[in-house]
Amino acid sequence: MLFYSFFKSLVGKDVVVELKNDLSVCGTLHSVDQYLNIKLTDISVTDPDKYPHMLSVKNCFIRGSVVRYVQLPADEVDTQLLQDAARKEAAVPTR
């Protein structure tokens, strides 16, 4: 739940999503769900020569299970708040 809440706070920011098939997609984070599926708008690919078929795509939905990395703008991430939230979530006993 921690990452879901974190990504929800980044809606409207520009991110780069690297997929497991080595495709990197840059775009504006439009939405994210509890499965960490991501919807991006105004997308572009980092290597258009390798993926020319992606040049005409402007919006995309990315299944959470195919995401390798999400690169975030450094000025948008409050690492101290994220660390505190992770500690609190880890301290909660599971059922």
Side-chain angles (χ1 to χ4, degrees):
M1 243 6 223
L2 176 65
F3 287 110
Y4 170 65
S5 301
F6 176 69
F7 282 119
K8 287 291 279 186
S9 70
L10 293 173
V11 169
K13 308 295 182 197
D14 288 334
V15 296
V16 178
V17 180
E18 183 181 331
L19 307 181
K20 291 179 181 177
N21 67 354
D22 294 327
L23 172 64
S24 292
V25 182
C26 307
T28 304
L29 184 63
H30 182 266
S31 63
V32 63
D33 65 12
Q34 69 270 21
Y35 302 107
L36 299 181
N37 296 323
I38 296 172
K39 184 174 181 184
L40 297 176
T41 57
D42 301 322
I43 69 161
S44 62
V45 292
T46 56
D47 191 3
D49 295 332
K50 190 174 179 183
Y51 303 99
H53 57 283
M54 293 294 291
L55 292 176
S56 63
V57 179
K58 295 298 172 205
N59 303 312
C60 70
F61 178 86
I62 301 170
R63 183 181 166 109
S65 64
V66 301
V67 174
R68 181 180 293 151
Y69 299 114
V70 179
Q71 299 173 18
L72 309 169
D75 57 338
E76 298 294 335
V77 180
D78 184 356
T79 55
Q80 187 62 44
L81 182 65
L82 192 58
Q83 288 174 352
D84 291 343
R87 286 188 191 101
K88 287 179 186 174
E89 188 169 289
V92 174
T94 57
R95 298 179 201 177

